[in-house]
Amino acid sequence: MIFTIMYYSFIVSAIFFYGIGLNDSTIICDKIHTIGMLLVKMLVSIVASVALCFLIQKEFLIPLGLNDFIPLIALLVYIIISVLFESIMRITSTKNTAEFNISYLIVLLALYESPNLVSSVSISIASFLSFAIILPVLYSIKKRIDIVGNIELHGNRRSLVLISLAILATLISVCNVSWLVPGVLP
């Protein structure tokens, strides 16, 4: 389980290698100081949706041969759980924590990549952690770009952030090169 969490958090980051939340993370990182409730709601709704969807998948959909309906069932379950937690958050704190794309794609990733319930929950937590870890990094990159100033000279700030993310993804995956693996080359 620890290996799975480390693997999906850092080595095969959901942001860098699957592209989950790549575009939205550049928007969310602008308000890094106020996203605590959003992250809590995302984590709880992702874990609850993955657990419930995995049980529905294992008990009903796979035995009946309805594997093609897994994304639809995951969508329905995620919407119900997300709306429930969103309404609880709005009643208790009056903050808007509406978010859909990243959480739903993490739920699908966890359902399709895992053989059992524990693995699917750990994959979902690790994918969420990879998203949460990249937000401060993106925030600092945006602040560095703002310090340089003159956005017109350097192009669009968001495109510079995405280029920086591409460089980070390359740096993370550079160690996964065949000639660095012992025993590949004679």
Side-chain angles (χ1 to χ4, degrees):
M1 182 169 138
I2 297 295
F3 174 76
T4 303
I5 289 176
M6 295 302 285
Y7 183 75
Y8 280 95
S9 292
F10 300 109
I11 299 170
V12 181
S13 174
I15 294 231
F16 291 133
F17 293 102
Y18 291 105
I20 294 175
L22 186 63
N23 194 22
D24 294 337
S25 63
T26 60
I27 298 168
I28 292 174
C29 74
D30 279 339
K31 45 191 174 183
I32 194 88
H33 303 293
T34 60
I35 62 170
M37 295 296 282
L38 172 70
L39 293 177
V40 168
K41 183 240 173 198
M42 279 178 63
L43 180 63
V44 171
S45 62
I46 286 170
V47 171
S49 297
V50 165
L52 188 59
C53 288
F54 188 84
L55 294 175
I56 291 171
Q57 173 185 343
K58 184 177 179 181
E59 297 298 324
F60 297 111
L61 295 179
I62 292 176
L64 295 174
L66 300 173
N67 296 343
D68 295 335
F69 290 106
I70 291 172
L72 176 65
I73 298 299
L75 176 68
L76 294 175
V77 168
Y78 174 72
I79 287 174
I80 291 169
I81 290 174
S82 180
V83 167
L84 174 72
F85 285 118
E86 175 71 22
S87 61
I88 291 171
M89 292 286 188
R90 283 193 185 200
I91 290 171
T92 59
S93 69
T94 66
K95 288 188 178 181
N96 183 9
T97 58
E99 186 282 323
F100 177 76
N101 297 352
I102 301 165
S103 300
Y104 177 63
L105 292 174
I106 287 174
V107 168
L108 287 181
L109 174 70
L111 289 175
Y112 281 113
E113 292 279 323
S114 62
N116 56 27
L117 181 62
V118 173
S119 179
S120 65
V121 169
S122 63
I123 288 172
S124 66
I125 290 171
S127 298
F128 170 78
L129 283 176
S130 71
F131 175 73
I133 289 169
I134 199 65
L135 289 178
V137 173
L138 286 176
Y139 181 74
S140 67
I141 290 172
K142 276 190 167 184
K143 288 300 175 188
R144 299 278 188 239
I145 291 172
D146 288 343
I147 289 171
V148 170
N150 199 357
I151 299 299
E152 292 80 26
L153 178 64
H154 297 290
N156 189 1
R157 179 173 73 157
R158 193 165 176 201
S159 64
L160 287 174
V161 170
L162 288 174
I163 290 169
S164 300
L165 280 177
I167 292 169
L168 281 173
T170 305
L171 289 174
I172 289 172
S173 64
V174 77
C175 64
N176 192 12
V177 180
S178 64
W179 62 77
L180 297 177
V181 178
V184 172
L185 294 177

